[in-house]
Structures are given as structure tokens and as C-alpha cells.
């Protein structure tokens, strides 16, 4: 709060905008997605005033990921599509990878499997360019689910493939994610138990909302919620996601891409 006030007082709007966007990401990870959207909206307003495409990209892409967290798949898809187009425009391969993966997940939830397959292939390619091994693995999970839904791969075979993949991974978060997906595809109780154990361990280190959500799906039991974080900006809007989409339409950099 103090950093935001100081940046605003001295007229350093660009720093204030990036503080808002980074705060939004903290809220989103913490599980306060609605509050995150309000901060992304404020960041996008600043980006529009300054013509700051980097800040606009952060606000749009992370706003789309927050919408995905809320299960709002259609607006998530629109925001993430805008973010990917903007990332391609400015040559930000890391963002093409991250937001492209999110877009593929949104499309998958909307039943658009072939579009999801195209997007996740592009995301994986961009991730390989910039050394994002985590996104390469997560992209593989989306590709496997697409193949199962399309009838190209039996679910049981896919689950066995993912359990074998998990055994090769050192990163506990990636290993948990792969085991979670293996369980969703009909994997054995061992995949569920290992994933749940990893999420409990990860949550003790950093109480991320995704760990809590997945642990609840796996076990039916809730992990403790952390104390909510206070807002940096007023939160009087009833529909922050709609506000963010409306502001995206006003942003010249976005209009020039896909919206």
C-alpha cells in the first residue's frame, strides 16, 4: 500500500500500474480472484493512459487466468486470446507460452478440443524457446486430455503414461500436477494419494489456492484457508470481470490485435 501511494504521489504512474498488476497476481495465487480482477482492471486503466503494452499484457493475461480460476471460461478465453495476440505482437515468447496454455485450458473446458490442441501446441513451442520446462509439461497434460476426449487414446493408457512421466520429474509441483491429471483420467488410488500428499506439503510452504482446490477434489477434505489479504484499491465494483473486459475493449493495443 505504501509503495503504491508513494509512486502515485510522485506521479510515477508506470510504477504504480505495475504494483497493481503484481498485487493482482498475489491475490489470485492467494485465492482472492475477484479482488485480483479489480487490481488488474486498475492496472489496465493505467496501461491505457500510458500506452504501456507490457503492463496491458500482464493485466489481460493474468486477468484471464483469474477468470479461469473462477470457472468463467468464456470471458477467460476472450481475455487470454487478447493477451496471446498482444504477446505475439510485442515478441514476448514467455507470455505466449503462459497465456497460450491458459487459453488452451479455457477452450478445453468450453468443449473446443481441436482449438485447444492448436493453442497448446503453440504454447509448448514457445515454452521450449524460452526454457519453460514447467509449461512444456503442463502443455503435455492438456494434449493428453485432448487425445482422450477425441477418442485417440484410451483414458487408462493415458493415466499410465502420466504416472510414468511423474516418476521422472524432480519438481514437486509439476509431479503433483501430473499425478492429479493421471487421477482425473482414471488413474489408480496411488496417483490420488501421492498427489494429495504433495499438495499438502506444497501448501505448508505456500498456501496457494490451486493446491487447496486440487486437494479438495482429490480427497474431499479442505486444507486451511490463509487469512485474506487487504485490497490496495477500492473494491466497490460488483462485476470486476465485466469491468476488465470492457476496459480491454477500450485499450488501443488490444483493439489492434483481436478484440
Amino acid at each position: 500500500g505504501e509503495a503504491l501511494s508513494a509512486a502515485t504521489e510522485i506521479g510515477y504512474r508506470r510504477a504504480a500500474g505495475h504494483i497493481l498488476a503484481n498485487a493482482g497476481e498475489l491475490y489470485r495465487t492467494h485465492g482472492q480472484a475477484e479482488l485480483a480482477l479489480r487490481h488488474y482492471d486498475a492496472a489496465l486503466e493505467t496501461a491505457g493512459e500510458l500506452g504501456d503494452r507490457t503492463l496491458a499484457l500482464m493485466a489481460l493475461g493474468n486477468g484471464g487466468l483469474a477468470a479461469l480460476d473462477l470457472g468463467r471460461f468464456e470471458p477467460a478465453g476472450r481475455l487470454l486470446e487478447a493477451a496471446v495476440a498482444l504477446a505475439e505482437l510485442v515478441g514476448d515468447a514467455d507470455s505466449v507460452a503462459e497465456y497460450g496454455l491458459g487459453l488452451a485450458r479455457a477452450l478445453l473446458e468450453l468443449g473446443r478440443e481441436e482449438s485447444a490442441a492448436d493453442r497448446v501446441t503453440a504454447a509448448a513451442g514457445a515454452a521450449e524457446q524460452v526454457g519453460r520446462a514447467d509449461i512444456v509439461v503442463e502443455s503435455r497434460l492438456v494434449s493428453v486430455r485432448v487425445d482422450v476426449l477425441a477418442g485417440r487414446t484410451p483414458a487408462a493408457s493415458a493415466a499410465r503414461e502420466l504416472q510414468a512421466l511423474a516418476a521422472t520429474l524432480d519438481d514437486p509441483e509439476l509431479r503433483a500436477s501430473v499425478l492429479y491429471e493421471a487421477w482425473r483420467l482414471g488413474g489408480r488410488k496411488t496417483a490420488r494419494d501421492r498427489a494429495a500428499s504433495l499438495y499438502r506439503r506444497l501448501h505448508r510452504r505456500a498456501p496457494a489456492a490451486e493446491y487447496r482446490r486440487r486437494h479438495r477434489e482429490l480427497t474431499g477434505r479442505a486444507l486451511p484457508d490463509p487469512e485474506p489479504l487487504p485490497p490496495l484499491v477500492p473494491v466497490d465494483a460488483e462485476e470486476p470481470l465485466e469491468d476488465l473486459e470492457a476496459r480491454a475493449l477500450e485499450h488501443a493495443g488490444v483493439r489492434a490485435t483481436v478484440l
Side-chain angles (χ1 to χ4, degrees):
E2 290 181 7
L4 176 62
S5 298
T8 304
E9 283 173 14
I10 65 174
Y12 196 5
R13 298 293 310 287
R14 195 177 305 276
H18 283 267
I19 289 168
L20 287 165
N22 288 327
E25 183 60 6
L26 179 61
Y27 294 124
R28 186 180 76 83
T29 303
H30 207 64
Q32 295 170 259
E34 294 277 357
L35 186 55
L37 286 165
R38 167 53 54 217
H39 287 72
Y40 295 139
D41 181 45
L44 187 58
E45 180 180 17
T46 301
E49 292 170 357
L50 299 176
D52 187 333
R53 284 177 166 175
T54 301
L55 180 55
L57 177 57
M58 290 173 63
L60 286 168
N62 291 336
L65 295 178
L68 196 59
D69 292 343
L70 290 168
R72 302 283 299 278
F73 302 121
E74 289 188 6
R78 289 191 291 269
L79 289 167
L80 288 164
E81 186 174 10
V84 171
L86 194 53
E88 290 171 343
L89 186 68
V90 301
D92 185 342
D94 195 281
S95 293
V96 170
E98 182 174 2
Y99 300 139
L101 173 62
L103 177 55
R105 286 171 168 162
L107 291 168
L108 195 56
E109 294 292 347
L110 292 168
R112 296 168 57 187
E113 289 88 359
E114 293 310 313
S115 294
D118 292 341
R119 288 295 188 173
V120 83
T121 298
E128 287 175 353
Q129 288 178 28
V130 293
R132 288 292 302 271
D134 56 332
I135 293 180
V136 172
V137 172
E138 294 286 356
S139 296
R140 179 63 189 148
L141 302 186
V142 174
S143 296
V144 167
R145 178 159 285 277
V146 167
D147 287 344
V148 170
L149 291 172
R152 291 188 286 268
T153 304
S157 297
R160 286 194 296 273
E161 176 192 336
L162 294 185
Q163 285 183 269
L165 173 61
T168 70
L169 299 171
D170 294 325
D171 184 288
E173 186 170 10
L174 278 181
R175 195 160 68 249
S177 189
V178 172
L179 289 167
Y180 164 79
E181 189 62 33
W183 169 75
R184 287 184 70 200
L185 290 171
R188 298 180 179 178
K189 179 177 179 292
T190 52
R192 183 196 69 190
D193 291 348
R194 287 173 185 164
S197 175
L198 284 165
Y199 281 125
R200 284 192 294 273
R201 231 166 63 201
L202 289 163
H203 192 264
R204 284 195 292 271
R205 282 179 11 197
E210 182 176 74
Y211 303 157
R212 296 194 295 278
R213 178 179 61 78
R214 290 188 170 187
H215 185 271
R216 190 179 300 111
E217 286 183 47
L218 288 158
T219 68
R221 298 191 301 276
L223 293 172
D225 289 323
E227 288 294 319
L229 300 172
L232 289 181
V233 297
V235 289
D236 53 349
E238 293 182 4
E239 294 293 344
L241 181 53
E242 284 76 358
D243 289 351
L244 181 60
E245 279 204 280
R247 197 175 305 282
L249 284 168
E250 297 170 2
H251 192 280
V254 178
R255 284 203 310 274
T257 55
V258 297
L259 291 178

